[in-house]
Amino acid sequence: SQQGEEDPQALSIQEGENATMNCSYKTSINNLQWYRQNSGRGLVHLILIRSNEREKHSGRLRVTLDTSKKSSSLLITASRAADTASYFCATVSTSGTYKYIFGTGTRLKVLA
Amino acid sequence: GAGVSQSPRYKVAKRGQDVALRCDPISGHVSLFWYQQALGQGPEFLTYFQNEAQLDKSGLPSDRFFAERPEGSVSTLKIQRTQQEDSAVYLCASSPLQGSTEAFFGQGTRLTVV
């Protein structure tokens, strides 16, 4: 019943490389957000992009949004071992209640 | 408080037992959400409160699940007659506005039903 699908499901890269994760969703959205979750911990908000924005940057993070394709991507540049975590996209719909609907997640492993 | 606080962090329940999970949101946050996260999956929406009003409970899997936020701050998720498939991490989140900003998550309660 989750709205978003993310790919890849798992990604393993070397420290210093870039990591790209993709998210697709199904309905019209107000905004899309990316969260990180370390093993056994809660989710931490990374970045929010509104439906009228196409790209946003925050530090080593770059997010793009294509509402015509109902998809988003998260790019982490110059990855570090500390970036090892699961990454989830979450959408807030334009209709109904303002709940956050999460994707299935990408498990990123950065090797030192 | 400094963040969203959930208690207990871990709960082991025997099948058929009732459990109550508590969430203390960030002070002043209007919106409060409960999510269920199975191992290796993304969080699944359970229910949403705006202040004390439960505006959306479409994600509650059965009538054994009940949530309340009587004074618009602390919330309790109650699961009656627990079953093994209820084993999961239950996450609580709060936000100051209705979905237009980020959600702040607690550390979760890991429920294991044996």
Side-chain angles (χ1 to χ4, degrees):
Chain A
S1 63
Q2 291 177 149
Q3 175 174 234
E5 293 290 331
E6 293 175 66
D7 78 275
Q9 290 187 348
L11 180 61
S12 186
I13 59 174
Q14 294 291 325
E15 204 166 31
E17 293 181 339
N18 296 341
T20 300
M21 291 159 260
N22 303 294
C23 165
S24 61
Y25 57 91
K26 297 175 184 173
T27 63
S28 296
I29 61 169
N30 177 286
N31 64 73
L32 184 144
Q33 304 177 28
W34 286 89
Y35 288 80
R36 182 185 72 213
Q37 185 178 39
N38 289 87
S39 180
R41 307 290 294 252
L43 286 87
V44 175
H45 181 264
L46 296 175
I47 195 165
L48 180 154
I49 186 165
R50 302 194 186 281
S51 59
N52 60 353
E53 297 176 310
R54 292 294 166 259
E55 188 170 313
K56 204 160 182 182
H57 297 254
S58 177
R60 295 185 295 113
L61 306 180
R62 175 179 156 238
V63 170
T64 63
L65 178 65
D66 186 336
T67 53
S68 67
K69 295 181 179 178
K70 291 187 167 57
S71 67
S72 173
S73 67
L74 171 68
L75 168 69
I76 304 174
T77 60
S79 63
R80 306 166 182 169
D83 295 328
T84 295
S86 291
Y87 292 81
F88 297 92
C89 67
T91 54
V92 177
S93 174
T94 54
S95 61
T97 55
Y98 291 94
K99 57 195 176 193
Y100 303 80
I101 302 298
F102 284 84
T104 51
T106 293
R107 291 181 298 282
L108 173 66
K109 189 170 186 178
V110 181
L111 304 170
Chain B
V4 178
S5 177
Q6 291 187 245
S7 61
R9 284 293 315 277
Y10 304 92
K11 176 70 179 178
V12 178
K14 291 185 177 178
R15 192 169 52 184
Q17 185 179 353
D18 297 350
V19 298
L21 312 180
R22 178 187 168 102
C23 173
D24 278 272
I26 294 173
S27 178
H29 277 194
V30 168
S31 298
L32 186 145
F33 308 83
W34 283 99
Y35 286 85
Q36 181 190 59
Q37 187 175 25
L39 190 64
Q41 301 296 314
E44 290 267 10
F45 171 79
L46 293 177
T47 188
Y48 161 65
F49 290 87
Q50 181 181 325
N51 295 309
E52 70 278 4
Q54 189 175 20
L55 299 186
D56 189 336
K57 53 183 181 179
S58 61
L60 295 177
S62 77
D63 58 8
R64 296 186 296 104
F65 286 71
F66 172 76
E68 60 183 6
R69 193 187 186 196
E71 297 177 357
S73 55
V74 172
S75 177
T76 304
L77 176 67
K78 298 179 179 178
I79 308 173
Q80 296 177 324
R81 305 181 303 281
T82 52
Q83 300 177 5
Q84 282 195 315
E85 60 262 30
D86 300 335
S87 296
V89 175
Y90 290 86
L91 296 166
C92 176
S94 69
S95 72
L97 298 172
Q98 299 170 0
S100 60
T101 61
E102 66 183 281
F104 295 81
F105 280 81
Q107 297 294 297
T109 294
R110 181 177 297 278
L111 173 66
T112 303
V113 182
V114 297

